[in-house]
Amino acid sequence: MAASLLNKALKPIKHPNFLSALRSLNFSSIATAHGNPSDGPSSSSFTFDNANNNKEKDDNSIYIKPPTSNASTEKTTSVTMPMSFMTGSIVGKRFYEKVTTRESDDGVGWTVMLDYRTLKTPSKRPLKLPTLALAKAIAAEWEYQQTDGIRPFTMPLMKLACTALERVPLTRTKIIEHLMKKFDQDLVFCRAPEDNTLTAGVHARQVEKVDPLLSWLNSEFGFQPIVYSSFFGGKQGEGLSKAVENLLKKTDDCELAAIDALAAAAHSLVIALGIFRGKLQIEEAIELIRLEEDLQVDKWGLVEGGHDVDIADLKVQISSATVFLGLSRKNFFH
């Protein structure tokens, strides 16, 4: 059902690989509506808030209420949601019937509409998205919330959009510093010993699968990466580290949010950059991330409720960040 809506919503998109990746995401979430009648007339504002009002009522309820600010003379309403929206718990029932997209008021970007209300970020900033494709994808996440509660953990694109709009502009320097701090211990730089019978198979697989990515890294940035066998990692050359850092500084907010999410899921900035630059597809990235563990599964078997859950979670994280990256690019579908 979710796939059919995505096909309809993203019909203008002609890029087959990206549509395939988008369809792989799980949009079959759950939720439906609930709302107290507002004292004021209808509005066009949807927002999340950590309001302390109505404490005697259920913290997970969603209420429509007029704003308390006296600065505006125009009467509007907004939807107040608990901050548990950002933690992954169920935050309330579905209060809207129709989800649409429209161009933003200033003509720069696109917004998502829940009935007549404009979707906003948790800090009440307009959720102004760079492309119509991304707006439609996020609208699909909201459309497939059903009756018993809105589940934020089924809305990865919405979460990434809020991160790009709110967190990245304020903490860009710290995000880049954190990524570079982990760069020397990147997953692809760690090589299993070749002269050990227990790890010889892992080493051979790393040479086969990882070396092409390291060769690409060399050609892309002009510096040869250093591999090591120490558990504590090694040190990459200053030239390579500086080149990677300069690339990160040139990214826009959506790109950096996606790279940060990919690097966190992959434990590898190099794999994240491979996806960012188009060197790696989603399936190839997941294969590199799980290379050693998949060898263990082949040898000892898969643990149900363990390995299979980890694989599913990794697929969602890598796929959603990759899809978000592509859909946020204005020239991607031209």
Side-chain angles (χ1 to χ4, degrees):
M1 186 175 181
S4 64
L5 183 136
L6 286 175
N7 287 333
K8 181 178 179 181
L10 302 178
K11 188 175 181 180
I13 300 174
K14 304 299 183 182
H15 196 285
N17 291 337
F18 233 82
L19 281 176
S20 177
L22 183 57
R23 293 191 188 102
S24 71
L25 295 178
N26 178 17
F27 290 113
S28 57
S29 10
I30 319 270
T32 266
H34 173 92
N36 275 359
S38 169
D39 295 332
S42 63
S43 91
S44 60
S45 179
F46 176 89
T47 185
F48 318 115
D49 196 7
N50 193 18
N52 293 321
N53 299 331
N54 301 318
K55 283 187 176 180
E56 69 278 12
K57 300 183 180 181
D58 186 356
D59 288 340
N60 283 332
S61 296
I62 301 171
Y63 302 104
I64 301 176
K65 67 177 185 179
T68 57
S69 174
N70 295 323
S72 175
T73 58
E74 181 184 26
K75 290 185 176 180
T76 59
T77 62
S78 64
V79 179
T80 301
M81 295 187 69
M83 285 305 293
S84 55
F85 181 88
M86 300 303 292
T87 66
S89 59
I90 299 174
V91 298
K93 294 184 179 180
R94 178 168 172 161
F95 52 88
Y96 54 92
E97 294 183 0
K98 186 178 181 181
V99 184
T100 57
T101 58
R102 69 174 178 85
E103 194 171 11
S104 59
D105 294 335
D106 60 5
V108 181
W110 299 84
T111 60
V112 176
M113 302 292 294
L114 304 181
D115 294 332
Y116 53 84
R117 304 176 188 89
T118 303
L119 191 61
K120 291 188 177 182
T121 66
S123 64
K124 301 184 181 180
R125 297 176 182 175
L127 187 74
K128 188 160 63 173
L129 303 162
T131 65
L132 176 59
L134 181 57
K136 286 184 176 292
I138 292 176
E141 292 183 327
W142 284 94
E143 178 66 33
Y144 276 87
Q145 301 297 312
Q146 297 175 8
T147 57
D148 66 340
I150 294 176
R151 288 166 165 75
F153 52 86
T154 64
M155 306 164 75
L157 299 180
M158 176 68 185
K159 181 179 178 181
L160 283 166
C162 291
T163 299
L165 292 171
E166 296 196 323
R167 175 175 169 243
V168 174
L170 298 177
T171 61
R172 165 175 285 271
T173 301
K174 290 185 178 180
I175 292 172
I176 294 176
E177 287 177 355
H178 177 75
L179 289 171
M180 294 310 302
K181 183 179 180 181
K182 301 291 185 181
F183 181 63
D184 289 334
Q185 286 75 43
D186 197 286
L187 175 69
V188 301
F189 298 147
C190 185
R191 186 60 54 91
E194 183 180 12
D195 56 355
N196 189 312
T197 56
L198 296 176
T199 59
V202 177
H203 178 89
R205 185 69 67 88
Q206 288 175 328
V207 170
E208 176 188 358
K209 298 294 185 180
V210 179
D211 278 8
L213 182 61
L214 297 179
S215 297
W216 168 83
L217 191 67
N218 182 16
S219 62
E220 189 78 1
F221 295 101
F223 299 95
Q224 180 66 41
I226 301 170
V227 297
Y228 50 83
S229 297
S230 170
F231 179 78
F232 299 101
K235 180 71 175 177
Q236 294 301 314
E238 183 178 352
L240 178 59
S241 297
K242 193 66 177 177
V244 170
E245 184 177 5
N246 288 337
L247 172 63
L248 294 176
K249 290 179 178 178
K250 294 177 182 178
T251 58
D252 63 34
D253 292 341
C254 287
E255 290 173 337
L256 187 56
I259 291 172
D260 187 37
L262 288 167
H267 304 288
S268 170
L269 177 56
V270 176
I271 291 176
L273 293 178
I275 294 175
F276 174 67
R277 285 295 185 94
K279 167 63 178 176
L280 295 175
Q281 298 297 316
I282 293 172
E283 296 81 3
E284 295 171 323
I286 292 173
E287 182 182 13
L288 289 176
I289 297 166
R290 289 193 49 81
L291 188 147
E292 295 181 37
E293 190 166 358
D294 282 344
L295 284 174
Q296 295 297 319
V297 170
D298 291 343
K299 184 175 182 179
W300 303 105
L302 182 142
V303 178
E304 293 186 4
H307 292 128
D308 52 348
V309 174
D310 291 342
I311 293 170
D313 181 61
L314 180 64
K315 286 181 177 180
V316 170
Q317 292 186 63
I318 298 298
S319 298
S320 59
T322 304
V323 168
F324 177 82
L325 176 64
L327 294 180
S328 67
R329 289 173 168 170
K330 296 180 180 179
N331 60 348
F332 186 82
F333 303 104
H334 293 316

